[in-house]
């Protein structure tokens, strides 16, 4: 080196200048520090430090000083050899702050994370050591394990979402075919695993999750693949195990495909997989999955595609439905072009067959199916076209309402409450015969279209309605109902209570009461007369006089609370029977529907007994009105068509009363809830009931009900028409079936606050509507079809019953005949003669209600009235068009 770089050391304390130089070097860092100031062991090469003013060993140059500083491990200051400028090393050595490279580590200490790496230069300084990499990896994995452990400990098994348990009630026809699935927002019916074929379970295991029985609920490879795809913006993927699918479908409201939701699904799936049994997971998965066609769950799917219960599915059908879980849009063989034009029937059938065959092959491969069984299923199974299971249009809505009403109203027996119906999941087997329901609707529609023309006759043909019901006399089962044109448009169920009064169809109950209990002895007081009675034979005589003064059983003229007398009128103001006192026997009176005879008979028997007979027959007591007025006997009450058919069925069953019912059985996934048991009551003895039937046969054979005659069958029935022509009925039966048909006019629009029954004069082009007209015609058309194919049966031959009362007529002065009475006299028969009708016998040239004077008029149901007002006035009506104040046929309170 040059001489000037090897200056001899200056003596310590060499004057003010030296001292000044030492201070300046220590403060500015630009001048050399005095030798020995740092105390570095390198300064003395291991010798003992000298005292103040001692000499120090010289460095050979800057390079040596730098190396010494590096060896020192980062002392705050390193001695610098003498040289040009006397520069001082930056504090902290090469990595000191003077160079912007961090703080030096004190001697004997190491950094916890040696990064950037000390003692390395260039790129090596930024390459982490293997120890650092391994440590970070272990730390990361440990953190993941800790987070997973905490997450697993904190997460619980969520409650199954309500939407995953939402179910419909499924209603079935009497033959077991499904009628409709309704009652909830979801077409689902949850069933137990025992009701799901093993083949269905194995099909989804083979196709979707072969390790289901042994895994913990997740598939790590599938999860990694799904997370990677979602993180990279690729195609989203769902859970790959059955457990994950169950968790997603039944427990997680959030169905989004995000990483956070995926992690939540993983934690829940692991928890479910370790705490819930595999059988419960499998049942939950198959009950919550969507199979297309608005079918949620395996039971709804089995019905939607094959119209059978899940337990009855075969291996091929199970493999087929497993394919539907992949996405019914592209596998439903009926096609889904409304969703995707590519989902044509042909394309979907091809995809479904390939998927089905693949599932069957895997079932064989994994030992779930034998090759012999698998060989049976090489084609798609026969499937039915899609249909709207929730449709309640037509008559179905009315039938569902009837079934629900029956269950709830009898909840003590059925164990089905309104709440249980709302919860869903019930299989409800009804009594309704699918063919007969359709036949009844067709019969009503035919008559309506042919005769009712609201566009042509708006004043008479608007708001015309029909109702009907058919009951099996042997059991009480309701076989058919007609509730209206359409349950989704017409909301009143016309086969149930409508408020339409039944008119003369009530007269058979008066006759039954007279034969069962008899008339009271007029010579006894009321208490004694109740016990001492004379049972009445149908051959007994009563007066058929028009405007007959009605008497109580003691013979005193009946008066109302105002002291007004009751004068009973007949339809058309016509008298029947033999003058001068118009004797007519009860068979003839029933045949011609003579009001005066049955009103007086009811008074002699007692209106309480007439009421009792009606209730015993099956009429509900709340529907009976006007029970304190003489006209009660001619139909002031408003029973439903169902109850009228059921009551007449009591006569058809020789007095055995069986309450009408609409549900035979109710089941849930847990088993049977209710099974109907027919209860039979003895309403009447066989002689009484069979004599009523025999009298009612005359009505159809020769009287007002000839329109109801059936080919080769015995028919018994009764027509009914009410005052003001506001309703008309025909109720009739054979030994196998009892049916009631009603007709009325009523504007029951919800906006109409004053609903009332409207008159039917001129309706359908008829001068007046009778039970013998359109109701009897509908009854005939329906019964011909409903009984087709069944063997005709005769009614029992009645045994004689009761005594002939009023056999010897009481002498009465001959009244001055009215113009009507003079027009229809008839010769007085002897008691041994069979009485004939005062009207001509029907000829072969006329038919039914078109025949003048025969079968075409129902002379029943017309109101009597007090002396001052024989018939109700137009102004004396209540809100339903019913006359008030005089106890006439519309005198009772509205039902």
């Amino acid at each position: 080196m040059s001489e000037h770089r090897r200056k001899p050391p200056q003596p310590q304390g060499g004057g003010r200048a030296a001292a000044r130089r030492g201070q300046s070097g220590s403060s500015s860092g630009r001048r050399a520090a005095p030798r020995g100031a740092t105390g570095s062991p390198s300064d003395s090469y291991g010798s003992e430090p000298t005292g103040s003013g001692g000499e120090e060993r010289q460095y050979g140059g800057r390079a040596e000083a730098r190396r010494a500083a590096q060896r020192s491990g980062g002392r705050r200051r390193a001695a610098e050899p003498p040289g040009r400028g006397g520069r001082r090393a930056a504090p902290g050595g090469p990595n000191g702050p003077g160079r912007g490279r961090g703080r030096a580590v004190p001697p004997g200490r190491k950094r916890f994370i040696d990064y950037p790496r000390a003692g390395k230069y260039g790129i090596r300084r930024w390459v982490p050591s293997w120890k650092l990499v391994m440590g970070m990896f272990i730390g990361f994995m440990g953190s993941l394990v800790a987070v997973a452990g905490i997450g697993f400990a904190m997460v619980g098994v969520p409650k199954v979402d309500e939407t995953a348990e939402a179910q419909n009630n499924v209603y079935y026809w009497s033959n077991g075919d499904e009628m409709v699935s309704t009652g909830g927002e979801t077409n689902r019916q949850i069933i137990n695993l025992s009701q799901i074929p093993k083949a269905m379970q194995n099909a989804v295991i083979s196709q979707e999750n072969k390790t289901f029985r042994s895994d913990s609920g997740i598939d790590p490879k599938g999860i990694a693949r799904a997370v990677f795809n979602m993180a990279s913006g690729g195609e989203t993927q769902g859970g790959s195990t059955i457990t994950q699918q169950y968790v997603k479908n039944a427990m997680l409201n959030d169905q989004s495909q995000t990483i956070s939701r995926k992690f939540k699904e993983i934690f829940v799936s692991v928890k479910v997989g370790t705490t819930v049994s595999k059988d419960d997971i499998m049942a939950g998965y198959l009950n919550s999955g969507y199979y297309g066609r608005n079918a949620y769950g395996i039971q709804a799917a089995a019905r939607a595609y094959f119209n059978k219960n899940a337990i009855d599915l075969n291996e091929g059908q199970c493999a087929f439905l497993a394919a539907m879980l992949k996405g019914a849009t592209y596998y439903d063989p009926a096609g889904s072009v409304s969703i995707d034009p590519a989902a044509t029937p042909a394309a979907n059938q091809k995809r479904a067959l390939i998927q089905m065959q693949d599932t069957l092959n895997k079932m064989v491969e994994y030992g779930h199916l034998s090759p012999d069984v698998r060989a049976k299923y090489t084609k798609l199974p026969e499937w039915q076209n899609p249909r709207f299971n929730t449709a309640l249009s037509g008559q179905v809505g009315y039938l569902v309402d009837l079934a629900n009403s029956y269950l709830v109203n009898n909840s003590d027996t059925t164990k089905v409450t309104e709440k249980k119906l709302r919860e869903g999941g019930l299989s409800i087997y009804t009594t309704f015969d699918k063919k007969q329901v359709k036949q009844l609707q067709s019969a009503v529609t035919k008559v309506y279209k042919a005769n009712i023309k609201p566009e042509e006759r708006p004043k008479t043909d608007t708001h015309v309605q029909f109702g009907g019901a058919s009951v099996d006399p042997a059991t009480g089962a309701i076989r058919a109902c007609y509730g209206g044109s359409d349950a989704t448009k017409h909301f009143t169920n016309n086969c149930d209570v409508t408020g339409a009064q039944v008119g003369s169809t009530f007269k058979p109950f008066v006759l039954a009461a007279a034969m069962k209990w008899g008339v009271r002895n007029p010579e006894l007081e009321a208490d004694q007369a109740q016990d001492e009675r004379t049972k009445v034979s149908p051959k007994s005589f009563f007066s058929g006089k028009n405007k007959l003064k009605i008497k109580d059983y003691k013979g005193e003229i009946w008066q109302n609370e105002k002291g007004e007398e009751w004068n009973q009128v007949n339809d058309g103001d016509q008298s029947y029977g033999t003058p001068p006192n118009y004797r007519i026997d009860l068979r003839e009176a029933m045949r011609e529907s003579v009001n005066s005879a049955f009103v007086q008979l009811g008074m002699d028997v007692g209106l309480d007994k007439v009421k009792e007979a009606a209730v015993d027959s099956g009429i509900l007591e709340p529907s009976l009105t006007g029970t304190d007025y003489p006209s009660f006997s001619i139909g002031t009450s408003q029973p439903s068509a169902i109850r009228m058919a059921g009551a007449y069925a009591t006569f058809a069953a020789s007095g055995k009363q069986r309450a009408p019912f609409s549900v035979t059985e109710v089941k849930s996934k847990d088993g049977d809830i209710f099974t109907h048991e027919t209860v039979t009551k003895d309403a009447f003895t066989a002689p009484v009931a069979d004599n009523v039937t025999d009298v009612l046969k005359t009505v159809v054979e020769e009287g007002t009900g000839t329109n109801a005659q059936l080919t080769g069958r015995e028919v018994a029935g009764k027509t009914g028409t009410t005052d003001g022509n506001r309703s008309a009925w025909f109720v009739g039966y054979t030994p196998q079936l009892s049916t009631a048909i009603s007709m009325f006019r009523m504007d029951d629009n919800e906006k109409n606050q004053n609903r009332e029954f409207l008159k039917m004069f001129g309706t359908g082009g008829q001068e007046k509507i009778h039970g013998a007209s359109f109701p009897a015609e509908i009854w005939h058309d329906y019964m011909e079809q409903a009984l087709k194919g069944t063997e005709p049966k005769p009614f029992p031959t009645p045994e004689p019953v009761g005594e002939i009362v009023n056999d010897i007529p009481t002498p009465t002065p001959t009244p001055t005949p009215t113009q009507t009475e003079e027009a229809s006299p008839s010769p007085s028969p002897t008691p041994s003669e069979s009485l004939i009708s005062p009207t001509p016998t029907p000829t072969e040239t006329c038919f039914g209600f078109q025949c003048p004077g025969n079968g075409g008029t129902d002379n029943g149901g017309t109101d009597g009235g007090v002396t001052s007002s024989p018939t109700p006035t137009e102004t004396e009506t209540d809100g339903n068009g019913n006359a008030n104040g005089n106890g006439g046929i519309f005198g009772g309170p509205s039902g």
Side-chain angles (χ1 to χ4, degrees):
M1 287 188 181
S2 59
E3 190 63 27
H4 71 275
R5 294 179 62 86
R6 298 181 58 87
K7 292 182 179 179
Q10 296 295 325
Q12 201 75 0
R16 291 184 178 179
R20 189 164 55 249
R21 285 193 301 270
Q23 293 174 1
S24 175
S26 64
S27 60
S28 66
R30 291 184 177 273
R31 301 181 66 176
R35 296 183 180 90
T38 63
S40 171
S42 301
D43 294 343
S44 58
Y45 291 91
S47 61
E48 293 293 330
T50 59
S52 177
E55 295 288 330
E56 295 182 359
R57 184 178 177 86
Q58 296 180 356
Y59 287 101
R62 291 186 178 179
E64 185 178 350
R66 187 163 54 251
R67 287 194 296 271
Q70 292 176 352
R71 289 194 299 268
S72 70
R75 287 175 175 267
R76 294 190 59 85
R77 293 198 320 197
E80 184 176 344
R84 182 173 62 182
R87 292 183 179 273
R88 186 182 67 180
N95 296 330
R99 298 287 182 182
R101 298 186 181 181
R103 189 165 181 169
V105 180
R109 290 184 59 190
K110 293 183 179 180
R111 291 182 294 173
F112 181 73
I113 299 177
D114 184 20
Y115 193 81
R117 299 174 65 186
K120 302 294 181 181
Y121 301 95
I123 190 65
R124 293 178 60 198
R125 190 161 177 264
W126 299 99
V127 176
S129 67
W130 67 270
K131 293 181 179 179
L132 179 60
V133 173
M134 184 61 67
M136 292 182 67
F137 175 77
I138 294 173
F140 176 74
M141 295 303 297
S143 299
L144 285 182
V145 171
V147 170
I150 294 173
F152 182 82
M154 294 182 64
V155 74
V157 177
K159 181 180 178 182
V160 176
D161 190 66
E162 290 183 0
T163 58
E165 293 185 331
Q167 304 178 70
N168 270 334
N169 298 314
V170 182
Y171 298 79
Y172 298 91
W173 296 102
S174 59
N175 65 353
D177 290 347
E178 183 177 327
M179 178 197 303
V180 68
S181 177
T182 187
E185 296 180 357
T186 304
N187 180 24
R188 175 190 285 116
Q189 190 178 22
I190 295 175
I191 57 178
N192 289 328
L193 191 65
S194 61
Q195 298 171 276
I196 301 174
K198 199 71 176 178
M200 187 67 206
Q201 304 173 43
N202 291 331
V204 295
I205 290 175
S206 300
Q207 185 59 249
E208 300 186 27
N209 186 191
K210 66 180 180 179
T211 61
F212 168 73
R213 294 292 179 185
S214 60
D215 63 32
S216 61
I218 61 172
D219 176 11
K221 292 182 179 179
I223 292 171
R225 182 172 59 252
V227 172
F228 176 78
N229 284 350
M230 287 185 289
S232 62
E235 181 182 357
T236 59
Q237 295 182 352
S240 57
T241 68
I242 289 175
T243 303
Q244 284 178 265
Q245 292 283 10
Y246 169 57
V247 167
K248 183 179 71 171
N249 293 340
M251 295 183 176
L252 300 181
N253 289 323
D254 182 10
Q255 296 296 311
S256 61
Q257 293 288 351
T258 61
I259 293 180
S260 61
R261 196 210 63 82
K262 194 68 181 177
F263 274 114
K264 182 178 180 180
E265 177 189 305
I266 292 170
F267 281 125
V268 174
S269 298
V270 173
K271 193 76 170 184
V272 169
T274 56
T275 58
V276 180
S277 72
K278 293 294 184 179
D279 283 351
D280 288 344
I281 294 173
M282 176 61 71
Y285 171 63
L286 292 175
N287 278 315
S288 62
Y290 181 62
Y291 297 78
R293 298 191 179 186
N294 194 36
Y296 291 83
I298 184 63
Q299 175 67 9
R303 280 290 172 181
Y305 288 94
F306 305 114
N307 195 29
K308 60 169 59 177
N309 292 323
I311 191 63
D312 298 324
L313 295 171
N314 60 39
E315 290 82 356
Q317 292 166 336
C318 290
F320 172 88
L321 290 179
M324 296 305 108
L325 288 169
K326 295 270 184 193
T329 298
Y330 300 101
Y331 291 98
D332 186 341
S336 302
V337 291
S338 60
I339 300 176
D340 189 337
T344 62
N348 279 15
Q349 290 172 25
K350 182 178 180 179
R351 281 188 286 260
L353 180 60
I354 293 173
Q355 186 69 24
M356 171 186 164
Q357 297 302 308
D358 182 63
T359 299
L360 290 170
N361 291 336
K362 287 181 178 177
M363 291 173 70
V364 174
E365 179 184 351
Y366 302 141
H368 299 310
L369 188 65
S370 69
D372 292 340
V373 175
R374 188 261 175 273
K376 297 178 182 179
Y377 307 109
T378 58
K379 299 179 180 180
L380 285 178
E382 293 185 7
W383 44 273
Q384 64 180 7
N385 285 320
R387 54 194 172 88
F388 297 100
N389 289 337
T390 56
L392 293 174
S393 59
Q395 300 306 302
V396 172
Y398 301 122
L399 302 181
V400 169
D401 288 344
L402 289 175
N404 290 344
S405 297
Y406 174 78
L407 292 173
V408 174
N409 292 338
N410 298 279
S411 59
D412 291 343
T413 302
T414 64
K415 309 302 180 185
V416 178
T417 62
E418 187 175 357
K419 179 182 178 183
K420 198 170 188 68
L421 275 176
R422 290 198 307 268
E423 290 173 351
L426 302 179
S427 295
I428 300 172
Y429 295 86
T430 73
T431 62
F432 306 124
D433 186 291
K434 185 176 183 179
K435 290 183 179 179
Q436 292 183 7
V437 169
K438 184 177 181 180
Q439 289 161 352
L440 181 54
Q441 183 177 20
S442 297
V444 173
T445 303
K446 174 185 173 183
V447 169
Y448 187 96
K449 289 184 176 180
N451 301 280
I452 310 302
K453 309 291 183 182
E455 297 82 6
E456 298 178 12
R457 298 182 291 267
K459 292 184 178 180
T460 59
D461 286 18
T462 55
H463 311 304
V464 174
Q465 299 183 34
F466 293 94
S470 206
V471 173
D472 182 356
T475 62
I478 303 171
R479 294 304 183 195
C481 275
Y482 180 83
S485 58
D486 190 318
T488 62
K489 301 175 182 178
H490 174 79
F491 305 109
T492 302
N493 191 345
N494 291 347
C495 63
D496 206 347
V497 177
T498 61
Q501 297 181 339
V502 296
S504 292
T505 58
F506 201 79
K507 289 173 182 174
F509 306 128
V510 184
L511 178 61
M515 290 190 290
K516 180 177 182 178
W517 288 288
V519 296
R520 293 170 287 185
N521 189 337
E523 298 178 359
L524 299 177
E525 295 299 325
D527 293 341
Q528 291 179 300
Q530 288 283 17
D531 299 327
E532 296 188 24
R533 294 171 172 267
T534 301
K535 294 182 178 180
V536 175
S537 165
K539 297 179 181 180
S540 299
F541 292 89
F542 284 81
S543 176
K545 183 179 183 297
N546 185 51
K547 297 181 182 178
L548 178 69
K549 290 184 182 296
I550 300 302
K551 302 175 182 179
D552 61 22
Y553 81 98
K554 295 180 72 66
E556 298 177 358
I557 303 243
W558 186 90
Q559 295 180 343
N560 65 10
E561 62 277 4
K562 297 180 180 179
E564 299 170 322
E565 295 180 352
W566 189 277
N567 295 336
Q568 181 60 52
V569 299
N570 294 325
D571 188 40
D573 285 336
Q574 184 175 349
S575 293
Y576 292 84
T578 306
N581 54 3
Y582 298 95
R583 288 173 78 243
I584 186 171
D585 75 359
L586 292 177
R587 180 183 296 273
E588 179 75 8
M590 185 72 77
R591 191 182 85 179
E592 298 303 328
S593 201
V594 181
N595 292 341
S596 56
F598 281 96
V599 170
Q600 186 59 60
L601 176 62
M603 297 299 291
D604 291 349
V605 173
L607 297 181
D608 59 333
K609 293 301 183 184
V610 174
K611 175 182 176 181
E612 188 174 345
V615 172
D616 288 347
S617 300
I619 300 297
L620 296 178
E621 187 171 350
S623 67
L624 300 176
T625 58
T627 56
D628 295 330
Y629 289 89
S631 59
F632 174 66
S633 295
I634 53 174
T636 60
S637 301
Q638 306 104 23
S640 67
I642 292 173
R643 284 292 167 174
M644 288 300 292
Y648 274 47
T650 301
F651 299 131
S654 295
K656 303 296 184 182
Q657 192 272 329
R658 300 169 179 103
F661 69 100
S662 56
V663 177
T664 59
E665 194 175 13
V666 179
K667 296 180 179 181
S668 72
K669 67 182 181 65
D670 298 321
D672 293 345
I673 295 178
F674 163 73
T675 300
H676 174 79
E677 295 181 3
T678 298
V679 177
T680 301
K681 299 178 181 179
D682 292 323
F684 310 106
T685 63
V688 169
D690 292 344
N691 271 279
V692 171
T693 295
D694 194 57
V695 170
L696 294 181
K697 281 175 58 181
T698 307
V699 174
V700 177
E701 292 170 356
E702 304 174 8
T704 60
T706 54
N707 266 355
Q709 293 175 1
L710 298 177
T711 305
R713 295 181 186 272
E714 291 188 352
V715 176
K718 184 69 186 77
T719 55
T721 305
T722 57
D723 181 64
N725 206 210
R726 290 182 170 89
S727 64
W729 290 72
F730 184 82
V731 186
Y733 55 93
T734 67
Q736 298 107 317
L737 200 61
S738 176
T739 301
I741 302 294
S742 66
M743 177 181 178
F744 54 90
R745 287 183 66 210
M746 182 175 67
D747 182 7
D748 58 358
N749 189 293
E750 293 182 354
K751 297 180 180 179
N752 183 11
Q753 300 299 318
N754 298 316
R755 301 180 187 180
E756 63 179 84
F757 288 89
L758 307 174
K759 293 181 178 182
M760 293 189 291
F761 296 109
T763 297
Q766 300 292 313
E767 180 180 348
K768 182 179 182 180
I769 296 297
H770 297 89
S773 57
F774 300 137
E777 187 177 347
I778 291 171
W779 189 97
H780 167 271
D781 291 349
Y782 161 67
M783 292 289 281
E784 283 281 14
Q785 295 300 315
L787 295 173
K788 191 174 183 178
T790 63
E791 183 180 353
K793 293 183 178 181
F795 289 115
T797 301
E799 298 178 8
V801 63
E803 301 180 17
I804 301 176
V805 300
N806 302 324
D807 187 19
I808 302 175
T810 302
T812 56
T814 302
T816 303
T818 63
Q819 183 177 1
T820 303
E821 291 164 355
E822 293 172 350
S824 59
S826 61
S828 176
T830 62
S832 61
E833 296 176 348
S834 65
L835 297 177
I836 61 174
S837 169
T839 56
T841 302
T843 66
E844 295 180 356
T845 58
C846 65
F847 179 74
F849 60 86
Q850 297 173 349
C851 298
N854 178 73
T857 58
D858 172 15
N859 302 310
T862 302
D863 182 20
V866 295
T867 305
S868 58
S869 178
T871 57
T873 64
E874 291 300 313
T875 58
E876 293 177 273
T877 60
D878 62 15
N880 284 325
N882 301 335
N884 294 322
N886 60 9
I889 196 157
F890 285 93
S894 172

